[in-house]
Structures are given as C-alpha cells and as structure tokens.
mmCIF file of all heavy atoms in Angstrom:
data_model
loop_
_atom_site.group_PDB
_atom_site.id
_atom_site.type_symbol
_atom_site.label_atom_id
_atom_site.label_comp_id
_atom_site.label_asym_id
_atom_site.label_seq_id
_atom_site.Cartn_x
_atom_site.Cartn_y
_atom_site.Cartn_z
ATOM 1 N N CYS A 1500 23.405 2.525 4.458
ATOM 2 C CA CYS A 1500 23.510 3.970 4.602
ATOM 3 C C CYS A 1500 24.842 4.497 4.270
ATOM 4 O O CYS A 1500 24.997 5.466 3.594
ATOM 5 C CB CYS A 1500 23.156 4.345 6.074
ATOM 6 S SG CYS A 1500 21.412 4.494 6.413
ATOM 7 N N PHE A 1501 25.883 3.788 4.694
ATOM 8 C CA PHE A 1501 27.246 4.285 4.457
ATOM 9 C C PHE A 1501 27.544 4.170 2.971
ATOM 10 O O PHE A 1501 28.310 5.030 2.415
ATOM 11 C CB PHE A 1501 28.254 3.452 5.298
ATOM 12 C CG PHE A 1501 28.091 3.630 6.791
ATOM 13 C CD1 PHE A 1501 28.046 2.551 7.599
ATOM 14 C CD2 PHE A 1501 28.033 4.917 7.298
ATOM 15 C CE1 PHE A 1501 27.879 2.692 9.004
ATOM 16 C CE2 PHE A 1501 27.888 5.093 8.606
ATOM 17 C CZ PHE A 1501 27.784 3.961 9.526
ATOM 18 N N SER A 1502 27.079 3.189 2.226
ATOM 19 C CA SER A 1502 27.288 3.085 0.800
ATOM 20 C C SER A 1502 26.625 4.271 0.084
ATOM 21 O O SER A 1502 27.187 4.834 -0.842
ATOM 22 C CB SER A 1502 26.727 1.798 0.263
ATOM 23 O OG SER A 1502 27.364 0.743 0.795
ATOM 24 N N GLU A 1503 25.461 4.626 0.562
ATOM 25 C CA GLU A 1503 24.739 5.797 0.006
ATOM 26 C C GLU A 1503 25.517 7.111 0.162
ATOM 27 O O GLU A 1503 25.721 7.870 -0.783
ATOM 28 C CB GLU A 1503 23.335 5.951 0.604
ATOM 29 C CG GLU A 1503 22.381 4.779 0.147
ATOM 30 C CD GLU A 1503 21.131 4.787 0.999
ATOM 31 O OE1 GLU A 1503 21.010 5.618 1.929
ATOM 32 O OE2 GLU A 1503 20.188 4.059 0.643
ATOM 33 N N GLU A 1504 26.025 7.246 1.337
ATOM 34 C CA GLU A 1504 26.825 8.455 1.704
ATOM 35 C C GLU A 1504 28.101 8.509 0.874
ATOM 36 O O GLU A 1504 28.508 9.551 0.403
ATOM 37 C CB GLU A 1504 27.124 8.482 3.182
ATOM 38 C CG GLU A 1504 25.843 8.678 4.027
ATOM 39 C CD GLU A 1504 26.096 8.484 5.502
ATOM 40 O OE1 GLU A 1504 27.256 8.598 5.956
ATOM 41 O OE2 GLU A 1504 25.135 8.184 6.231
ATOM 42 N N ASP A 1505 28.754 7.297 0.688
ATOM 43 C CA ASP A 1505 29.982 7.256 -0.123
ATOM 44 C C ASP A 1505 29.732 7.632 -1.487
ATOM 45 O O ASP A 1505 30.656 8.104 -2.223
ATOM 46 C CB ASP A 1505 30.582 5.880 0.051
ATOM 47 C CG ASP A 1505 31.218 5.532 1.397
ATOM 48 O OD1 ASP A 1505 31.389 6.457 2.197
ATOM 49 O OD2 ASP A 1505 31.397 4.328 1.687
ATOM 50 N N ALA A 1506 28.575 7.412 -1.958
ATOM 51 C CA ALA A 1506 28.191 7.748 -3.337
ATOM 52 C C ALA A 1506 27.679 9.214 -3.414
ATOM 53 O O ALA A 1506 27.200 9.634 -4.577
ATOM 54 C CB ALA A 1506 27.084 6.731 -3.906
ATOM 55 N N GLY A 1507 27.625 9.870 -2.317
ATOM 56 C CA GLY A 1507 27.206 11.280 -2.426
ATOM 57 C C GLY A 1507 25.705 11.457 -2.234
ATOM 58 O O GLY A 1507 25.188 12.546 -2.426
ATOM 59 N N VAL A 1508 24.990 10.409 -1.781
ATOM 60 C CA VAL A 1508 23.574 10.447 -1.613
ATOM 61 C C VAL A 1508 23.260 10.616 -0.115
ATOM 62 O O VAL A 1508 23.837 9.974 0.761
ATOM 63 C CB VAL A 1508 22.867 9.160 -2.144
ATOM 64 C CG1 VAL A 1508 21.367 9.258 -1.896
ATOM 65 C CG2 VAL A 1508 23.139 9.016 -3.572
ATOM 66 N N LYS A 1509 22.261 11.495 0.196
ATOM 67 C CA LYS A 1509 21.886 11.653 1.663
ATOM 68 C C LYS A 1509 21.217 10.330 2.135
ATOM 69 O O LYS A 1509 20.244 9.825 1.503
ATOM 70 C CB LYS A 1509 20.909 12.822 1.767
ATOM 71 C CG LYS A 1509 20.536 13.136 3.142
ATOM 72 C CD LYS A 1509 19.674 14.396 3.239
ATOM 73 C CE LYS A 1509 19.257 14.768 4.725
ATOM 74 N NZ LYS A 1509 18.527 15.981 4.792
ATOM 75 N N SER A 1510 21.718 9.867 3.272
ATOM 76 C CA SER A 1510 21.250 8.541 3.666
ATOM 77 C C SER A 1510 20.145 8.700 4.757
ATOM 78 O O SER A 1510 19.890 9.812 5.328
ATOM 79 C CB SER A 1510 22.396 7.776 4.317
ATOM 80 O OG SER A 1510 22.774 8.401 5.553
ATOM 81 N N SER A 1511 19.486 7.543 5.084
ATOM 82 C CA SER A 1511 18.520 7.562 6.185
ATOM 83 C C SER A 1511 19.186 7.899 7.482
ATOM 84 O O SER A 1511 18.602 8.623 8.313
ATOM 85 C CB SER A 1511 17.834 6.137 6.279
ATOM 86 O OG SER A 1511 17.132 5.902 5.151
ATOM 87 N N ARG A 1512 20.420 7.413 7.719
ATOM 88 C CA ARG A 1512 21.106 7.820 8.944
ATOM 89 C C ARG A 1512 21.191 9.339 9.129
ATOM 90 O O ARG A 1512 20.937 9.890 10.216
ATOM 91 C CB ARG A 1512 22.550 7.247 8.888
ATOM 92 C CG ARG A 1512 23.439 7.510 10.125
ATOM 93 C CD ARG A 1512 24.867 7.143 9.872
ATOM 94 N NE ARG A 1512 25.526 8.131 9.004
ATOM 95 C CZ ARG A 1512 26.172 9.239 9.500
ATOM 96 N NH1 ARG A 1512 26.139 9.478 10.805
ATOM 97 N NH2 ARG A 1512 26.697 10.027 8.684
ATOM 98 N N GLN A 1513 21.566 10.025 7.988
ATOM 99 C CA GLN A 1513 21.678 11.437 8.159
ATOM 100 C C GLN A 1513 20.294 12.112 8.369
ATOM 101 O O GLN A 1513 20.150 13.088 9.150
ATOM 102 C CB GLN A 1513 22.341 12.002 6.875
ATOM 103 C CG GLN A 1513 23.766 11.588 6.786
ATOM 104 C CD GLN A 1513 24.351 11.889 5.349
ATOM 105 O OE1 GLN A 1513 23.671 11.677 4.349
ATOM 106 N NE2 GLN A 1513 25.598 12.345 5.274
ATOM 107 N N SER A 1514 19.266 11.593 7.663
ATOM 108 C CA SER A 1514 17.876 12.168 7.848
ATOM 109 C C SER A 1514 17.382 11.925 9.218
ATOM 110 O O SER A 1514 16.782 12.874 9.831
ATOM 111 C CB SER A 1514 16.978 11.568 6.764
ATOM 112 O OG SER A 1514 17.414 11.857 5.467
ATOM 113 N N PHE A 1515 17.582 10.722 9.718
ATOM 114 C CA PHE A 1515 17.093 10.491 11.164
ATOM 115 C C PHE A 1515 17.857 11.268 12.174
ATOM 116 O O PHE A 1515 17.268 11.754 13.202
ATOM 117 C CB PHE A 1515 17.177 8.953 11.400
ATOM 118 C CG PHE A 1515 16.060 8.147 10.795
ATOM 119 C CD1 PHE A 1515 16.337 7.093 9.932
ATOM 120 C CD2 PHE A 1515 14.716 8.383 11.179
ATOM 121 C CE1 PHE A 1515 15.299 6.388 9.362
ATOM 122 C CE2 PHE A 1515 13.721 7.663 10.732
ATOM 123 C CZ PHE A 1515 13.939 6.642 9.736
ATOM 124 N N ASN A 1516 19.113 11.466 11.971
ATOM 125 C CA ASN A 1516 19.909 12.281 12.962
ATOM 126 C C ASN A 1516 19.335 13.726 12.882
ATOM 127 O O ASN A 1516 19.208 14.367 13.975
ATOM 128 C CB ASN A 1516 21.388 12.323 12.556
ATOM 129 C CG ASN A 1516 22.069 11.154 13.001
ATOM 130 O OD1 ASN A 1516 21.587 10.261 13.762
ATOM 131 N ND2 ASN A 1516 23.290 10.869 12.527
ATOM 132 N N GLU A 1517 19.035 14.254 11.700
ATOM 133 C CA GLU A 1517 18.464 15.612 11.659
ATOM 134 C C GLU A 1517 17.099 15.715 12.337
ATOM 135 O O GLU A 1517 16.829 16.679 13.046
ATOM 136 C CB GLU A 1517 18.338 16.051 10.163
ATOM 137 C CG GLU A 1517 19.618 16.315 9.404
ATOM 138 C CD GLU A 1517 19.413 16.633 8.003
ATOM 139 O OE1 GLU A 1517 18.245 16.726 7.553
ATOM 140 O OE2 GLU A 1517 20.425 16.832 7.282
ATOM 141 N N GLY A 1518 16.306 14.672 12.154
ATOM 142 C CA GLY A 1518 14.936 14.732 12.711
ATOM 143 C C GLY A 1518 14.819 14.303 14.157
ATOM 144 O O GLY A 1518 13.887 14.753 14.859
ATOM 145 N N TRP A 1519 15.722 13.458 14.679
ATOM 146 C CA TRP A 1519 15.553 12.862 15.975
ATOM 147 C C TRP A 1519 16.646 13.151 17.027
ATOM 148 O O TRP A 1519 16.435 12.947 18.148
ATOM 149 C CB TRP A 1519 15.333 11.374 15.829
ATOM 150 C CG TRP A 1519 14.012 10.954 15.340
ATOM 151 C CD1 TRP A 1519 13.711 10.646 14.095
ATOM 152 C CD2 TRP A 1519 12.867 10.936 16.105
ATOM 153 N NE1 TRP A 1519 12.318 10.353 13.972
ATOM 154 C CE2 TRP A 1519 11.781 10.495 15.200
ATOM 155 C CE3 TRP A 1519 12.516 11.209 17.406
ATOM 156 C CZ2 TRP A 1519 10.448 10.410 15.606
ATOM 157 C CZ3 TRP A 1519 11.172 11.073 17.887
ATOM 158 C CH2 TRP A 1519 10.159 10.650 16.989
ATOM 159 N N TYR A 1520 17.809 13.560 16.514
ATOM 160 C CA TYR A 1520 18.900 13.804 17.580
ATOM 161 C C TYR A 1520 18.611 15.141 18.288
ATOM 162 O O TYR A 1520 18.435 16.140 17.712
ATOM 163 C CB TYR A 1520 20.306 13.843 16.909
ATOM 164 C CG TYR A 1520 21.292 14.205 17.990
ATOM 165 C CD1 TYR A 1520 21.713 13.241 18.870
ATOM 166 C CD2 TYR A 1520 21.887 15.418 18.086
ATOM 167 C CE1 TYR A 1520 22.614 13.509 19.901
ATOM 168 C CE2 TYR A 1520 22.817 15.772 19.074
ATOM 169 C CZ TYR A 1520 23.192 14.749 19.978
ATOM 170 O OH TYR A 1520 24.067 15.013 20.954
ATOM 171 N N ARG A 1521 18.559 15.020 19.647
ATOM 172 C CA ARG A 1521 18.433 16.145 20.487
ATOM 173 C C ARG A 1521 19.386 15.931 21.709
ATOM 174 O O ARG A 1521 19.806 14.818 22.014
ATOM 175 C CB ARG A 1521 16.963 16.303 20.979
ATOM 176 C CG ARG A 1521 16.014 16.509 19.824
ATOM 177 C CD ARG A 1521 14.604 16.971 20.335
ATOM 178 N NE ARG A 1521 13.933 15.932 21.174
ATOM 179 C CZ ARG A 1521 13.143 15.064 20.608
ATOM 180 N NH1 ARG A 1521 12.895 14.997 19.308
ATOM 181 N NH2 ARG A 1521 12.490 14.162 21.430
ATOM 182 N N GLU A 1522 19.585 16.986 22.397
ATOM 183 C CA GLU A 1522 20.538 16.952 23.600
ATOM 184 C C GLU A 1522 19.984 16.052 24.652
ATOM 185 O O GLU A 1522 20.814 15.529 25.410
ATOM 186 C CB GLU A 1522 20.792 18.409 24.110
ATOM 187 C CG GLU A 1522 21.498 19.307 23.221
ATOM 188 C CD GLU A 1522 22.922 18.843 22.884
ATOM 189 O OE1 GLU A 1522 23.504 18.163 23.725
ATOM 190 O OE2 GLU A 1522 23.404 19.109 21.768
ATOM 191 N N ASP A 1523 18.703 15.867 24.689
ATOM 192 C CA ASP A 1523 18.151 15.023 25.833
ATOM 193 C C ASP A 1523 18.207 13.522 25.537
ATOM 194 O O ASP A 1523 17.786 12.733 26.323
ATOM 195 C CB ASP A 1523 16.746 15.481 26.217
ATOM 196 C CG ASP A 1523 15.744 15.254 25.123
ATOM 197 O OD1 ASP A 1523 16.163 15.184 23.917
ATOM 198 O OD2 ASP A 1523 14.564 15.134 25.446
ATOM 199 N N VAL A 1524 18.751 13.135 24.319
ATOM 200 C CA VAL A 1524 18.868 11.748 24.072
ATOM 201 C C VAL A 1524 20.147 11.298 24.740
ATOM 202 O O VAL A 1524 21.227 11.837 24.449
ATOM 203 C CB VAL A 1524 18.996 11.472 22.538
ATOM 204 C CG1 VAL A 1524 19.269 10.009 22.285
ATOM 205 C CG2 VAL A 1524 17.694 11.924 21.786
ATOM 206 N N ASP A 1525 20.018 10.376 25.746
ATOM 207 C CA ASP A 1525 21.099 10.014 26.626
ATOM 208 C C ASP A 1525 22.006 9.039 25.869
ATOM 209 O O ASP A 1525 21.681 7.805 25.699
ATOM 210 C CB ASP A 1525 20.566 9.385 27.899
ATOM 211 C CG ASP A 1525 21.711 9.309 28.911
ATOM 212 O OD1 ASP A 1525 22.926 9.346 28.512
ATOM 213 O OD2 ASP A 1525 21.393 9.071 30.121
ATOM 214 N N LEU A 1526 23.204 9.396 25.403
ATOM 215 C CA LEU A 1526 24.128 8.550 24.664
ATOM 216 C C LEU A 1526 25.075 7.810 25.636
ATOM 217 O O LEU A 1526 25.836 6.966 25.197
ATOM 218 C CB LEU A 1526 24.871 9.327 23.683
ATOM 219 C CG LEU A 1526 24.131 10.191 22.690
ATOM 220 C CD1 LEU A 1526 25.058 10.874 21.701
ATOM 221 C CD2 LEU A 1526 23.062 9.283 21.898
ATOM 222 N N SER A 1527 25.030 8.118 26.873
ATOM 223 C CA SER A 1527 25.959 7.523 27.820
ATOM 224 C C SER A 1527 25.483 6.160 28.398
ATOM 225 O O SER A 1527 26.282 5.369 28.920
ATOM 226 C CB SER A 1527 26.154 8.450 29.043
ATOM 227 O OG SER A 1527 24.974 8.636 29.806
ATOM 228 N N VAL A 1528 24.174 5.942 28.191
ATOM 229 C CA VAL A 1528 23.535 4.689 28.777
ATOM 230 C C VAL A 1528 23.477 3.683 27.601
ATOM 231 O O VAL A 1528 22.694 3.826 26.640
ATOM 232 C CB VAL A 1528 22.177 4.909 29.339
ATOM 233 C CG1 VAL A 1528 21.584 3.627 29.879
ATOM 234 C CG2 VAL A 1528 22.269 6.010 30.449
ATOM 235 N N ILE A 1529 24.267 2.638 27.683
ATOM 236 C CA ILE A 1529 24.334 1.583 26.669
ATOM 237 C C ILE A 1529 23.225 0.544 26.948
ATOM 238 O O ILE A 1529 22.644 -0.039 26.058
ATOM 239 C CB ILE A 1529 25.719 0.927 26.604
ATOM 240 C CG1 ILE A 1529 26.793 1.975 26.285
ATOM 241 C CG2 ILE A 1529 25.740 -0.172 25.488
ATOM 242 C CD1 ILE A 1529 26.598 2.714 25.020
ATOM 243 N N GLN A 1530 22.922 0.314 28.245
ATOM 244 C CA GLN A 1530 21.899 -0.654 28.602
ATOM 245 C C GLN A 1530 20.971 -0.116 29.645
ATOM 246 O O GLN A 1530 21.092 0.987 30.142
ATOM 247 C CB GLN A 1530 22.652 -1.892 29.151
ATOM 248 C CG GLN A 1530 23.223 -2.843 28.146
ATOM 249 C CD GLN A 1530 23.697 -4.155 28.761
ATOM 250 O OE1 GLN A 1530 24.484 -4.056 29.678
ATOM 251 N NE2 GLN A 1530 23.257 -5.244 28.230
ATOM 252 N N ASP A 1531 19.925 -0.889 29.872
ATOM 253 C CA ASP A 1531 19.017 -0.704 31.036
ATOM 254 C C ASP A 1531 18.026 0.431 30.722
ATOM 255 O O ASP A 1531 16.784 0.196 30.702
ATOM 256 C CB ASP A 1531 19.740 -0.437 32.325
ATOM 257 C CG ASP A 1531 20.536 -1.699 32.714
ATOM 258 O OD1 ASP A 1531 20.052 -2.833 32.385
ATOM 259 O OD2 ASP A 1531 21.641 -1.540 33.344
ATOM 260 N N LYS A 1532 18.447 1.690 30.608
ATOM 261 C CA LYS A 1532 17.468 2.778 30.485
ATOM 262 C C LYS A 1532 16.776 2.698 29.143
ATOM 263 O O LYS A 1532 17.452 2.839 28.102
ATOM 264 C CB LYS A 1532 18.258 4.108 30.616
ATOM 265 C CG LYS A 1532 17.292 5.302 30.540
ATOM 266 C CD LYS A 1532 18.046 6.629 30.589
ATOM 267 C CE LYS A 1532 17.072 7.816 30.516
ATOM 268 N NZ LYS A 1532 17.812 9.025 30.530
ATOM 269 N N ILE A 1533 15.511 2.544 29.129
ATOM 270 C CA ILE A 1533 14.670 2.402 27.913
ATOM 271 C C ILE A 1533 14.129 3.764 27.597
ATOM 272 O O ILE A 1533 13.346 4.323 28.387
ATOM 273 C CB ILE A 1533 13.641 1.329 28.019
ATOM 274 C CG1 ILE A 1533 14.258 -0.073 28.248
ATOM 275 C CG2 ILE A 1533 12.845 1.283 26.709
ATOM 276 C CD1 ILE A 1533 13.241 -1.150 28.453
ATOM 277 N N ASP A 1534 14.421 4.331 26.475
ATOM 278 C CA ASP A 1534 13.953 5.633 26.081
ATOM 279 C C ASP A 1534 13.446 5.557 24.633
ATOM 280 O O ASP A 1534 14.023 6.244 23.734
ATOM 281 C CB ASP A 1534 15.083 6.712 26.232
ATOM 282 C CG ASP A 1534 14.586 8.097 25.998
ATOM 283 O OD1 ASP A 1534 13.406 8.333 26.079
ATOM 284 O OD2 ASP A 1534 15.472 8.907 25.689
ATOM 285 N N VAL A 1535 12.392 4.777 24.358
ATOM 286 C CA VAL A 1535 11.957 4.550 22.993
ATOM 287 C C VAL A 1535 11.018 5.692 22.639
ATOM 288 O O VAL A 1535 9.949 5.817 23.262
ATOM 289 C CB VAL A 1535 11.235 3.206 22.895
ATOM 290 C CG1 VAL A 1535 10.718 3.090 21.398
ATOM 291 C CG2 VAL A 1535 12.195 2.101 23.189
ATOM 292 N N ARG A 1536 11.365 6.475 21.705
ATOM 293 C CA ARG A 1536 10.555 7.597 21.218
ATOM 294 C C ARG A 1536 9.864 7.368 19.886
ATOM 295 O O ARG A 1536 8.741 7.938 19.601
ATOM 296 C CB ARG A 1536 11.426 8.878 21.137
ATOM 297 C CG ARG A 1536 12.149 9.135 22.409
ATOM 298 C CD ARG A 1536 13.004 10.412 22.397
ATOM 299 N NE ARG A 1536 13.745 10.535 23.572
ATOM 300 C CZ ARG A 1536 14.332 11.731 23.955
ATOM 301 N NH1 ARG A 1536 14.170 12.784 23.209
ATOM 302 N NH2 ARG A 1536 15.059 11.762 25.021
ATOM 303 N N TYR A 1537 10.447 6.450 19.042
ATOM 304 C CA TYR A 1537 9.902 6.248 17.755
ATOM 305 C C TYR A 1537 9.860 4.767 17.468
ATOM 306 O O TYR A 1537 10.850 4.040 17.619
ATOM 307 C CB TYR A 1537 10.827 6.932 16.693
ATOM 308 C CG TYR A 1537 10.544 6.670 15.276
ATOM 309 C CD1 TYR A 1537 9.211 6.683 14.759
ATOM 310 C CD2 TYR A 1537 11.555 6.435 14.316
ATOM 311 C CE1 TYR A 1537 8.956 6.376 13.402
ATOM 312 C CE2 TYR A 1537 11.291 6.263 13.005
ATOM 313 C CZ TYR A 1537 9.953 6.203 12.537
ATOM 314 O OH TYR A 1537 9.620 5.982 11.227
#
C-alpha cells in the first residue's frame, strides 16, 4: 500500500479507511475487545 501511495496511486489502505473508518471504531483497545465488522 505504501509503495502504491509513494507512486501517486490510491491504495487499498486509503480506500478501506474511506469505507470503514467511523468514530465508533475503538482505536484505544489494542487487545481483548473483538469488534470484527468485515
């Protein structure tokens, strides 16, 4: 993904962030809490 972005190409990382990142995705929990949506 990072290589694609460095070359000026939209990456899967960017596309998934646009489609799936929301405020209710808990980024503070590194372990234990399972929140599988996809």
Side-chain angles (χ1 to χ4, degrees):
C1500 278
F1501 295 130
S1502 296
E1503 291 170 353
E1504 292 169 24
D1505 291 343
V1508 177
K1509 186 175 182 178
S1510 70
S1511 294
R1512 180 190 77 87
Q1513 293 169 319
S1514 296
F1515 279 119
N1516 280 348
E1517 288 177 4
W1519 283 101
Y1520 177 72
R1521 298 192 295 270
E1522 293 297 328
D1523 64 338
V1524 177
D1525 193 346
L1526 306 183
S1527 65
V1528 180
I1529 303 300
Q1530 281 186 306
D1531 296 328
K1532 181 182 177 182
I1533 300 177
D1534 184 23
V1535 179
R1536 306 185 184 194
Y1537 174 40

